[in-house]
Amino acid sequence: NGVLRSADIMDTRYPVKGLYVWLPYGLRLRNHVLSLIKQLLEQTGHQEVLFPLLIPEDIFKKEAEHIRGFEGQVYWVTHGGLDELDVKLALRPTSETSMYPMFALWIRSHADLPVKVYQVVNIFRYETKMTKPMIRLREVTTFKEAHTAHATWDEAEAQVLEAVKIYKRFFDKLGVPYVVTKRPPWDTFAGAKYSVAFDTLAPDGKTLQIGTAHNLGQNFAKVYGLKFETLKGKHQHVYQTSYGMSERVIAALMMTHGDDTGLCLPPIVAPIQVVVVPIPFKGREAPVDHVAKVVTDELATVGVRVHLDDRDLRPGEKFYYWERRGVPLRLEVGPEDVKKDQVTAVRRDTAEKQAILRRELRVKVEQLLYDINANLRERAWKSFKEMIHEAADVETIKRTLEKKGGIVRVPWCEQEACGTSLEERTGADILGQELEGKPASGICPICSKKAKNYVLMAKTY
Ligand code: ZN
């Protein structure tokens, strides 16, 4: 919370619980993160759409399982002005029920398939647990949800795997480490056949779910009448998937790379990648200011997000100001630098200092930004992997999670009763089975039967 304020990301003082205000710097960060995921979706044939916020009650309540999963969390619009509405309107908690009746109008034949669309919208959920900026919200401001429809079950399965691949590439670009698991049946998205989820770790050792992908099978298609004519002239229900993520990704980004000074942003999404700070000495201001300006302009013309800090403050204050905001690279220009035709570069991630000759400026700055991205990613994965432990009995699971936090890998017989008992007896949650897990060995800690699989367990947000 301190970083949200000190780095000008968000103001948490809005007078409605679970709602927060994005500040300009935070919003720019959000938009860079969004453009990365949008780019990956567009490259894989997804098209952006924008659906209304309101969903009529009768349509919303058609899919029984889905509504059971969400009914305690829905905000309802009951009045228009002074009139009570005949049909209450839900503020979308997610958009399956707003989109699919429209899909039913669009899909006629096999030629209309697959449908692959996405939108980035706000959604509302009446959270009863303690709310937390970016993590547990009543208005999720940045919900990226993709929805697809296919002719066959296999195509829908393949689509879930494509979603996983897209999300992996996305988190790799951000340098946010993750595990990917198939959620257990009792933790599957309401109305889905199965759910796959990405979890990362917060610094306190708890996991944070940062993305999900669901195979919806034909559940929604049957309820909303999504049918297509096959090549042979038969009418069949489509198979569907949906996958989403939210501003939790930005929380994860901040928690993963930040340090005691504040934010530390990967250049790929940093609102300002390079800050130029002139360090004037009495009587030598003019040449220093001039070079600082030229350096800034030169980087701007090659597309670097660069900012010249020419405020009337001491350089030390400026350094600290931009370090708190996580700017990846600082270029200092002092009288010595001017004399030697160089600038002094300081990395935010390692605090390393180096001189860069002016004629090598572009190449060296681009190289440094690339290196910072890579270093942040490697550093994050290294400490993440150190937080994945093995445990084969209830006591060890408990002790490991209490002492070290993180994630434990546990052999499991795949029986639901043993799964829920594991959760009860350890006070931790089962994330699920690793999507590309190693083959099982050992016995289930509850029933002592041979394990069929490993599950990952953790304390979760
Ligand atoms: Zn068992």
Side-chain angles (χ1 to χ4, degrees), residues 364-392:
K364 281 279 166 67
V365 164
E366 273 165 17
Q367 184 61 46
L368 275 171
L369 293 177
Y370 179 87
D371 290 348
I372 294 170
N373 272 321
N375 177 52
L376 288 177
R377 180 168 53 237
E378 278 161 32
R379 197 161 83 176
W381 269 106
K382 187 168 175 286
S383 39
F384 185 79
K385 283 180 180 160
E386 284 164 8
M387 293 294 277
I388 300 179
H389 320 285
E390 311 278 335

Side-chain angles (χ1 to χ4, degrees), residues 413 415 418 444 446-447:
C413 66
Q415 292 185 85
C418 289
C444 169
I446 302 294
C447 69

Side-chain angles (χ1 to χ4, degrees), residues 38 47-53 92 95 98-99 102 106 117-122 143 145:
K38 284 186 172 189
Q47 289 183 296
E48 189 172 11
V49 291
L50 187 54
F51 275 70
L53 169 65
R92 65 180 157 224
S95 301
S98 103
M99 287 190 173
M102 298 305 294
W106 300 342
V117 298
Y118 75 96
Q119 65 180 5
V120 182
V121 291
N122 57 348
F143 191 55
E145 49 179 331

